[in-house]
Amino acid sequence: MQIILGITGGVAAYKSAELARLLANQGHRVRCILTEAGARFITPLTLTSLTGEPCYGSNPDQGEWRANPSIEHIELARWADLVVVAPATANMLGKTANGLATDLLSTVLLATRAQVLWAPAMNSGMWENPAVQANMARLLSFGHGIVEPGEGVLACGEEGTGKLADVASIAEAIRFHGTPKLRSLNGRKVLITSGPTREDLDPVRTLTNRSTGAMGIELARAFRDVGARVQLVLGGDLPAPWGVETVRVRSAQQMLQACEARWADSAGLVAAAAVADQRPEAPAPEKVKKVQGPESLALVRTPDILATLSSSRRSDQWVLGFAAESQNHLEQALSKLKAKGLDAVLVNDVQGGRAFGAQVNTLTPLTHQGQHPSLGPLSKDRLAQEVVQWWARQLEIRENAQLQVIQP
Ligand SMILES: Cc1cc2nc3c(=O)[nH]c(=O)nc-3n(C[C@H](O)[C@H](O)[C@H](O)COP(=O)(O)O)c2cc1C
């Protein structure tokens, strides 16, 4: 993508250097526009060096409006696929919400037809001010996006909301706004389970598995990017992705409850969690002491989340399962597809430690029509995008087939 990064006059401007670098490393072309106040906090030299592109706007060497035969503000407005303002001052929000163009950045913001994304940062009193909130609401009503400021200790020493969102979240929001939406998933609620479950033996020991949750988190990001409203039920310790409503759970029973509460209003389920099949029959309330001689552990079955949700589904809901098998993986997956009444199973060959914790993975989709060409080997983020594209195509094929039945 070609991204304009607008940097306005707040202390958090130092973080925009990190953002510029991250975006450039992700392969984007990034051109920065500094306001005069922004240039008091960070220099054009830093930004140019990090992006390999000129830095525009308030620039001690060249000034705000450079003599340029191509009319710079229009050229930049057309060049951008996306304009992100991070950090965004109360002043810049107010100017753009009210159609004012008093410097290069505010003029580009009015002239551009590209998506605009705001990452506000300011003192919490300023952020909560009704004038600022009204300006923000007005910008959102124009179709602009926001990466909400976070809570914490602010540069002014106060504690409250107004802290610039972390750089990784801003990059996630840029990814979301830069991804074309897919008709069959846009605006639909998708429930995703991910990660390991943990079944406690006593207050310090637990039964779990080697899943990290990375694949399910990548799927959540990929479904989010094409417009799905993702609800992620997550086990394990990995951080929740930006823009995804995440519920953290520990045991299989908790995961089932969290899913059941959300299933009825979901369009589909992606069951990527590695749910423990067994749990200790009677978890001990206190730490179990060492004993002499052989020890054994009585286990009971945990609820089958995928089968439970699949059996209660309506005809307009779809269910995708995963099968992590270390032998006869296709036959095992086919029996899972049939026994649990799924629409598709993505088969993960975990022989020799593949998949769990690995960076690169391959998935083979299996539907009632048969085996589909494998997706991968790819990094988990790219693989998740392939899965989403593949599934969206299947949904469209299905919708077209239903239309033909209705209109012969
Ligand atoms: C030290 C300092 C820190 C500031 N931090 C912020 C801030 O975090 N957010 C904000 O909205 N304004 C902040 N301001 C005020 C803006 O710099 C001021 O409103 C300026 O006119 C904004 O101009 P700009 O929007 O063109 O960058 C700060 C001012 C100073 C002197």
Side-chain angles (χ1 to χ4, degrees):
M1 264 198 290
Q2 299 191 155
I3 299 171
I4 286 181
L5 172 57
I7 301 161
T8 62
V11 182
Y14 77 94
K15 294 185 187 165
S16 51
E18 190 70 48
L19 178 62
R21 193 176 74 127
L22 177 64
L23 295 173
N25 284 351
Q26 287 177 348
H28 301 294
R29 285 185 69 189
V30 184
R31 290 184 176 173
C32 297
I33 304 181
L34 262 179
T35 63
E36 198 185 320
R40 295 203 198 108
F41 293 91
I42 185 166
T43 69
L45 185 61
T46 307
L47 298 166
T48 304
S49 310
L50 291 171
T51 59
E53 297 272 350
C55 180
Y56 299 82
S58 187
N59 190 322
D61 305 328
Q62 285 141 331
E64 183 81 25
W65 302 95
R66 291 195 280 180
N68 188 325
S70 66
I71 310 185
E72 203 156 70
H73 62 282
I74 302 299
E75 189 191 42
L76 284 167
R78 286 190 190 136
W79 179 84
D81 297 316
L82 188 133
V83 181
V84 54
V85 187
T89 51
N91 177 57
M92 192 56 69
L93 294 172
K95 281 205 282 194
T96 310
N98 292 286
L100 299 181
T102 59
D103 59 5
L104 183 65
L105 179 58
S106 55
T107 310
V108 168
L109 281 161
L110 285 199
T112 192
R113 292 188 168 85
Q115 174 71 42
V116 177
L117 180 62
W118 297 93
M122 63 199 72
N123 161 275
S124 48
M126 289 169 81
W127 176 243
E128 285 157 18
N129 187 295
V132 174
Q133 287 298 313
N135 287 335
M136 193 69 246
R138 197 162 149 81
L139 292 167
L140 294 178
S141 76
F142 301 155
H144 293 195
I146 181 176
V147 194
E148 295 276 353
E151 276 179 45
V153 180
L154 308 172
C156 56
E158 266 181 38
E159 210 170 327
T161 305
K163 211 178 164 70
L164 181 72
D166 61 89
V167 166
S169 298
I170 301 171
E172 286 281 290
I174 289 169
R175 185 179 128 147
F176 165 75
H177 284 287
T179 308
K181 305 299 172 255
L182 295 179
R183 195 183 52 77
S184 56
L185 290 165
N186 196 14
R188 311 272 170 95
K189 273 195 179 173
V190 173
L191 181 61
I192 300 180
T193 68
S194 180
T197 52
R198 289 170 174 154
E199 305 295 342
D200 294 334
L201 277 73
D202 67 19
V204 295
R205 300 181 184 95
T206 193
L207 271 187
T208 187
N209 57 59
R210 294 192 200 186
S211 162
T212 59
M215 192 65 220
I217 286 173
E218 293 303 341
L219 285 160
R221 295 170 74 214
F223 274 96
R224 171 203 70 193
D225 285 349
V226 300
R229 290 153 61 204
V230 177
Q231 304 195 85
L232 177 65
V233 180
L234 181 63
D237 298 320
L238 291 182
W242 176 86
V244 167
E245 192 190 315
T246 304
V247 193
R248 290 202 173 267
V249 293
R250 194 169 168 79
S251 66
Q253 185 61 35
Q254 285 174 359
M255 186 171 273
L256 176 65
Q257 278 168 355
C259 288
E260 281 183 319
R262 290 162 181 80
W263 183 216
D265 64 346
S266 299
L269 168 71
V270 182
V275 183
D277 290 327
Q278 298 94 8
R279 65 171 175 80
E281 186 175 25
E286 302 299 336
K287 187 179 169 198
V288 176
K289 300 280 178 226
K290 268 184 244 171
V291 290
Q292 293 301 320
E295 294 181 62
S296 63
L297 190 60
L299 298 174
V300 291
R301 297 305 299 263
T302 53
D304 188 330
I305 298 173
L306 184 52
T308 309
L309 297 180
S310 182
S311 67
S312 67
R313 75 167 172 172
R314 298 184 309 269
S315 60
D316 62 330
Q317 289 177 305
W318 48 262
V319 180
L320 292 190
F322 281 74
E325 304 291 350
S326 57
Q327 51 184 327
N328 300 333
H329 47 283
L330 287 174
E331 295 93 283
Q332 301 272 8
L334 189 62
S335 60
K336 183 169 184 174
L337 178 81
K338 288 182 178 158
K340 299 194 184 184
L342 313 180
D343 295 280
V345 172
L346 291 136
V347 189
N348 213 329
D349 179 2
V350 293
Q351 201 177 21
R354 279 200 289 268
F356 286 167
Q359 292 308 309
V360 172
N361 196 9
T362 302
L363 290 169
T364 306
L366 208 64
T367 65
H368 294 279
Q369 282 72 48
Q371 186 183 334
H372 294 242
S374 292
L375 309 171
L378 285 167
S379 60
K380 286 182 177 173
D381 61 337
R382 289 280 301 111
L383 183 60
Q385 290 164 7
E386 290 292 312
V387 168
V388 169
Q389 294 290 334
W390 171 78
W391 182 240
R393 273 197 308 278
Q394 304 306 309
L395 287 176
E396 285 190 10
I397 292 168
R398 217 199 257 202
E399 279 169 24
N400 290 341
Q402 279 166 357
L403 276 180
Q404 278 164 16
V405 173
I406 297 165
Q407 299 165 343

